[in-house]
Amino acid sequence: MECGIFHTPYMRPGRKDKETFEYSLLLAAAADKFGYRDFMIGEHGMQAWENIPNPELLIVAAAQITERMRFAPMAHIVPLHNPSTLAIQVGYTSQLLEDRYFLGVGAGSWENEAVLRGQPGDLSEAHPRLMEGLEVMDKVWRQEPFDFEGKYYKAARLDSQIDPGSVASHGEFKVKEGEEYHLTADHSPHGGADGLEIAVTGLSKNSPSHRLAGERGWTPISFYGGSALLKSQWDTYSEAVRSIGGTPQGANFKIARDVYVAKTDEEAKEQAKNGALGHAWKKYLMPVYQKYRILQGFIDDADKKVDIDDVDLDYLADHVWLCGSPETVIAKIEKTFELAGFRYGQLAVNTHDALDDPAPWVESLRLFATEVVPNVHVEGTHETVAVN
């Protein structure tokens, strides 16, 4: 199995951007050393708990202090961008990192982000803007002339350099032999438009994002909400892959979850409850997951059933988080394989704000990569190798 990092990040409101940035670099350096394959960074411009508006700035900085790990914005909310500008930004970063960069895209799910950009708060434009924006981005990457006018976006690429006199401020002039005037730069992705790995995240049952991933050969990522939800997403993805003549591979599927590992179950539970993971759930995630009944999927999987409003940190540590000793966490992962009916290829650890005391959190990341993941076999995945 592979391990990854899903760096939303869940930072405590009030953290300065520089604090978040420097903490992110600390985690990236540690994860690279421990053998994590992917470091995926959320894009949120307004969320106090999820406060990285430009993943590429962090990606490029982190790439300079790491050696092996791949990076991705996960995900760029395409409807919130001018797609031509985003295409150039992504292509440029891809060329800088080469094979260590891949792209995550999404439609967005927070009303305030859309309203800030003058879009409907009901998110009715989110998915159509995503699809139209991706069409524009692909055209930009192909470095060929085009003229596009859709419902939301308009863009064109000229078939030659600017003609003399076509820009009023230039006036009349002649291009002399050997001069190179207004040539266009190639900011297509490393490996070309068809060589860029694209990933999408899915939150809902029978996720349309996972259907899109299967139809287009993209990488599916799931925010785990219980085995029934995961199974529906896997079935949706698999059906889409088969519709284009492919064979679905569990190794291609990534899952984002909350993980905390220590030497013993007791130590892991206490550190998780009283540390960054417990704080984020108590203050932010638990109210959200209860309101939208996301927790119900975990409850349905658990041996101990409770009312969703009665879930507390002890219940989370025992039945929701992948929390415990290496042996316990391995057993919990194997149970999810059994319940979902397939073996997924990567488990990406959600990050939390341990800035004030990072050592226990970093040790958990080390134990997960070195003592859990190597003992979970999934055919077709990359070997996790730590650097001593």
Side-chain angles (χ1 to χ4, degrees):
M1 191 185 206
E2 297 172 2
C3 52
I5 297 288
F6 206 104
H7 191 54
T8 304
Y10 294 125
M11 301 298 291
R12 302 185 184 200
R15 291 294 193 194
K16 295 181 180 179
D17 290 340
K18 187 176 182 181
E19 290 180 310
T20 298
F21 192 85
E22 292 176 348
Y23 177 61
S24 302
L25 294 180
L26 181 153
L27 293 182
D32 187 63
K33 179 180 178 181
F34 300 151
Y36 283 76
R37 176 163 170 76
D38 297 329
F39 195 98
M40 298 171 280
I41 302 167
E43 176 194 80
H44 296 281
M46 295 183 68
Q47 282 274 31
W49 276 91
E50 307 171 31
N51 59 347
I52 296 180
N54 190 331
E56 264 80 14
L57 290 176
L58 177 57
I59 285 172
V60 172
Q64 307 308 303
I65 62 170
T66 56
E67 297 180 5
R68 303 175 296 168
M69 198 162 54
R70 307 191 312 161
F71 294 89
M74 195 59 65
H76 273 314
I77 310 304
V78 175
L80 306 183
H81 294 270
N82 177 296
S84 296
T85 301
L86 184 60
I88 293 171
Q89 175 181 318
V90 165
Y92 179 70
T93 310
S94 174
Q95 289 201 33
L96 294 180
L97 270 70
E98 298 182 332
D99 293 331
R100 295 179 61 198
Y101 179 91
F102 63 105
L103 170 64
V105 296
S109 59
W110 203 42
E111 298 88 341
N112 281 357
E113 293 276 19
V115 171
L116 183 66
R117 276 76 170 188
Q119 298 172 23
D122 62 4
L123 302 179
S124 57
E125 292 184 2
H127 186 72
R129 279 182 177 271
L130 168 65
M131 301 308 296
E132 192 171 297
L134 289 172
E135 185 176 353
V136 174
M137 292 173 71
D138 184 75
K139 291 179 181 298
V140 172
W141 289 334
R142 294 192 180 280
Q143 298 288 301
E144 298 171 352
F146 72 89
D147 190 356
F148 178 90
E149 185 167 357
K151 183 176 181 179
Y152 304 103
Y153 304 112
K154 181 178 181 180
R157 183 183 180 92
L158 303 176
D159 60 1
S160 64
Q161 63 188 31
I162 296 176
D163 293 331
S166 64
V167 180
S169 61
H170 287 171
E172 295 288 346
F173 68 91
K174 294 182 179 180
V175 177
K176 299 178 182 177
E177 184 177 353
E179 291 181 341
E180 297 176 341
Y181 185 74
H182 276 313
L183 300 181
T184 55
D186 181 357
H187 293 308
S188 56
H190 173 69
D194 296 320
L196 179 65
E197 179 183 345
I198 297 178
V200 290
T201 55
L203 299 170
S204 60
K205 186 176 181 180
N206 303 317
S207 167
S209 296
H210 287 145
R211 182 177 299 108
L212 185 64
E215 292 170 347
R216 299 200 176 189
W218 294 351
T219 299
I221 302 177
S222 173
F223 280 98
Y224 190 74
S227 61
L229 176 61
L230 178 58
K231 187 177 187 305
S232 77
Q233 294 172 341
W234 168 250
D235 290 344
T236 298
Y237 170 73
S238 298
E239 180 182 348
V241 171
R242 294 189 186 99
S243 73
I244 60 171
T247 301
Q249 303 291 334
N252 296 333
F253 214 101
K254 304 179 191 292
I255 309 294
R257 290 200 67 175
D258 287 303
V259 178
Y260 198 89
V261 188
K263 291 184 178 181
T264 68
D265 289 346
E266 294 76 15
E267 184 181 0
K269 184 173 180 178
E270 287 307 306
Q271 290 182 4
K273 286 169 49 182
N274 298 317
L277 181 53
H279 182 84
W281 271 83
K282 183 177 180 180
K283 293 290 188 178
Y284 177 48
L285 294 172
M286 186 117 70
V288 173
Y289 283 16
Q290 286 174 330
K291 178 179 179 180
Y292 293 103
R293 303 197 66 78
I294 297 172
L295 275 174
Q296 190 60 51
F298 293 100
I299 296 171
D300 293 341
D301 285 346
D303 295 330
K304 179 182 178 181
K305 304 294 190 291
V306 298
D307 186 86
I308 194 169
D309 293 326
D310 294 332
V311 172
D312 57 16
L313 292 181
D314 283 299
Y315 190 88
L316 292 172
D318 291 335
H319 303 290
V320 176
W321 304 335
L322 293 176
C323 176
S325 66
E327 295 76 18
T328 295
V329 174
I330 290 169
K332 288 183 175 182
I333 294 171
E334 291 289 346
K335 182 180 179 181
T336 66
F337 289 159
E338 180 182 350
L339 291 173
F342 78 107
R343 300 179 76 84
Y344 45 85
Q346 183 180 115
L347 204 156
V349 179
N350 292 323
T351 59
H352 292 276
D353 185 353
L355 176 61
D356 295 333
D357 184 19
W361 182 259
V362 171
E363 175 63 4
S364 171
L365 293 178
R366 186 190 71 81
L367 288 171
F368 183 66
T370 60
E371 297 191 20
V372 174
V373 171
N375 295 303
V376 180
H377 177 71
V378 179
E379 185 176 355
T381 55
H382 295 77
E383 184 180 4
T384 300
V385 180
V387 175
N388 295 324

